[in-house]
């Protein structure tokens, strides 16, 4: 049996990825989320947590034994070297966790939600790339409103991600999120119908 069709879902911060992923899930599509995998591999007792604490210090473990993700994020945000070290530790673990989940998923196709798909060179892991697109001015406003950060902080977050043009360059499908949540959900429904047809055509013997 061939591999199930994989859709790579990505987009910049505050683009609407969570809404899109949620709608796919409502439609019965398995959604394998990189952020959830990232949390799972550093859960208490996991080798990933031990490796992170060994590299960055045991002070990043909270009283409950869980990783203080905010403190770690603050630590690496301004230090490219530390960020690369963290990625070297976690990315292989996250990918392996997502692969296991995708292999166990039940459905005609799966959505792999990977915020850093472009930055992490994950294109080869999926069959199609779906980009949730929004103008950068809208992103900035949403980030400031959501996270309570300044204009400079919001711009720094955007600058740390792939550019809008870089994401669109690898996209097979684009959801332009400029309307209402209802508009976005209806656009997902249309893509779902398309992906079902593609998944059927990809089945062995189809």
């Amino acid at each position: 049996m061939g591999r199930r069709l994989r859709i790579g879902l990505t987009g910049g911060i505050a683009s609407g990825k969570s809404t899109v992923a949620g709608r796919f899930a409502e439609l019965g599509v398995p959604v394998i989320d990189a952020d959830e995998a990232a949390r799972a591999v550093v859960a208490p007792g996991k080798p990933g947590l031990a490796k992170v604490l060994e590299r960055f210090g045991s002070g990043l473990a909270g009283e409950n034994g869980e990783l203080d993700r905010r403190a770690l994020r603050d630590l690496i945000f301004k230090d490219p070297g530390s960020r690369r070290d963290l990625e070297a530790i976690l990315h292989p673990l996250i990918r392996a966790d997502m692969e296991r989940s995708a292999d166990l998923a039940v459905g005609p196709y799966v959505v792999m939600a990977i915020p850093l798909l472009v930055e992490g060179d994950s294109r080869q892991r999926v069959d199609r790339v779906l980009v949730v697109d929004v103008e950068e001015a809208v992103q900035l406003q949403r980030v400031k409103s959501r996270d309570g950060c300044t204009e400079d902080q919001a711009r720094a977050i955007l600058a740390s991600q792939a550019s809008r043009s870089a994401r669109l360059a690898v996209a097979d499908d684009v959801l332009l999120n400029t309307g209402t949540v209802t508009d976005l959900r209806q656009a997902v429904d249309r893509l779902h119908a398309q992906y079902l047809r593609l998944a059927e055509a990809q089945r062995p013997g189809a």
Side-chain angles (χ1 to χ4, degrees):
M1 180 177 177
R3 189 180 78 166
R4 187 179 291 105
L5 177 70
R6 294 183 178 188
I7 308 299
L9 170 62
T10 194
I13 189 171
S15 60
K17 295 185 302 295
S18 296
T19 298
V20 171
R23 182 54 182 161
F24 275 118
E26 289 174 1
L27 293 168
V29 180
V31 176
I32 315 300
D33 192 311
D35 287 340
E36 292 181 5
R39 287 189 288 271
V41 300
V42 293
K46 292 287 187 175
L49 177 60
K51 291 180 180 179
V52 170
L53 295 180
E54 180 182 354
R55 165 61 181 84
F56 295 98
S58 59
L60 288 176
E63 293 182 3
N64 56 5
E66 294 184 354
L67 180 66
D68 186 337
R69 293 167 62 86
R70 179 182 292 274
L72 178 61
R73 186 167 60 244
D74 291 343
L75 181 68
I76 68 168
F77 189 73
K78 297 179 181 179
D79 183 355
S82 292
R83 181 182 300 179
R84 284 191 294 269
D85 288 349
L86 182 65
E87 291 172 349
I89 294 170
L90 295 185
H91 282 188
L93 299 175
I94 293 169
R95 290 185 180 187
D97 186 89
M98 294 183 73
E99 288 295 320
R100 285 192 295 270
S101 297
D103 289 341
L104 293 171
V106 177
Y109 70 94
V110 297
V111 169
M112 310 282 279
I114 309 174
L116 302 181
L117 186 150
V118 177
E119 298 88 333
D121 192 27
S122 296
R123 177 65 182 85
Q124 72 280 3
R125 299 166 56 197
V126 299
D127 301 301
R128 294 183 72 84
V129 173
L130 169 58
V131 170
V132 185
D133 183 43
V134 67
E135 293 182 359
E136 290 184 356
V138 177
Q139 281 182 278
L140 286 169
Q141 189 57 49
R142 289 177 179 173
V143 171
K144 289 191 293 183
S145 298
R146 187 187 70 183
D147 298 346
C149 58
T150 66
E151 177 86 12
D152 287 345
Q153 289 171 329
R155 288 189 179 279
I157 293 171
L158 261 66
S160 70
Q161 299 184 337
S163 67
R164 183 185 184 191
S165 59
R167 283 190 295 271
L168 292 175
V170 302
D172 296 292
D173 305 294
V174 177
L175 287 176
L176 184 58
N177 184 16
T178 56
T180 65
V181 172
T182 298
D183 292 335
L184 187 59
R185 287 165 59 88
Q186 289 175 347
V188 173
D189 292 356
R190 291 191 291 273
L191 271 180
H192 176 57
Q194 175 187 335
Y195 292 156
L196 288 176
R197 292 192 294 270
L198 290 172
E200 179 65 24
Q202 184 172 296
R203 287 177 54 195

